[in-house]
Amino acid sequence: MPPTVRHTARIIVLDEDDAVLLMKTHWDHRILPERWLTPGGGVDPGEDVHTAAVRELHEETGLRVESLGEPIWHERRALPAGHEYDETDATYFLLRVPRFEPLSEHWTDSELDDIVDVRWFSPNELTASEDDFDPEDVRRILSHLPGRAP
């Protein structure tokens, strides 16, 4: 039987000081401890990844944009045992904006249940953090962006 795959659109949101906006969330079914990850989520039926990224950005942060440009990163990886899907196929977009206060007024019921915290991490805070991060390893992805130190 082929693996079940969740297609996702994720957004790396950076402010003018290169701080990254991350969300601390529960894993589906609480299979692992909470972890930090980028805004974004599943691609709905009939959506392309860009449309999903624009929608998810608004739902999860309150920020509306017309376009996110071309994807900057793509990867497919296995998900932990006990997850609803076997793998995730993630497409990443980059958005540079002045720092803003994320809003929760458009969160879905599942986001209201899953999202524990939202905050900006400076590059130094991100490097020094001992918190759990999603397997996407946002630090590794950020290290590949032009103009950012590894």
Side-chain angles (χ1 to χ4, degrees):
M1 172 178 267
T4 57
V5 179
R6 181 174 190 235
H7 295 274
T8 63
R10 310 228 54 97
I11 308 95
I12 296 174
V13 182
L14 297 176
D15 75 3
E16 61 275 0
D17 296 318
D18 263 357
V20 62
L21 181 66
L22 297 176
M23 310 181 99
K24 190 173 197 176
T25 69
H26 295 289
W27 280 92
D28 291 351
H29 312 296
R30 311 294 201 267
I31 58 173
L32 292 172
E34 299 161 348
R35 84 294 197 202
W36 293 97
L37 72 163
T38 58
V43 178
D44 287 342
E47 279 187 319
D48 60 37
V49 290
H50 183 270
T51 303
V54 168
R55 176 185 50 76
E56 287 284 346
L57 180 67
H58 180 250
E59 275 180 16
E60 294 185 352
T61 71
L63 190 63
R64 278 197 188 275
V65 297
E66 292 295 318
S67 177
L68 290 165
E70 294 297 316
I72 60 157
W73 192 265
H74 178 264
E75 67 182 17
R76 187 168 174 157
R77 64 183 176 280
L79 290 168
H83 195 280
E84 180 179 354
Y85 296 90
D86 299 317
E87 297 178 351
T88 184
D89 186 275
T91 301
Y92 293 84
F93 295 86
L94 176 65
L95 178 64
R96 292 184 179 273
V97 294
R99 185 174 290 208
F100 65 96
E101 188 64 36
L103 303 174
S104 60
E105 64 190 42
H106 300 289
W107 288 1
T108 64
D109 288 343
S110 66
E111 289 163 343
L112 287 167
D113 180 53
D114 289 342
I115 299 172
V116 177
D117 194 9
V118 180
R119 67 164 282 217
W120 293 91
F121 280 83
S122 72
N124 288 341
E125 290 170 330
L126 191 62
T127 300
S129 179
E130 294 182 13
D131 285 355
D132 288 329
F133 290 83
D134 193 55
E136 69 186 39
D137 192 1
V138 69
R139 292 181 267 209
R140 179 177 52 83
I141 296 170
L142 286 169
S143 74
H144 287 82
L145 295 179
R148 287 191 58 105

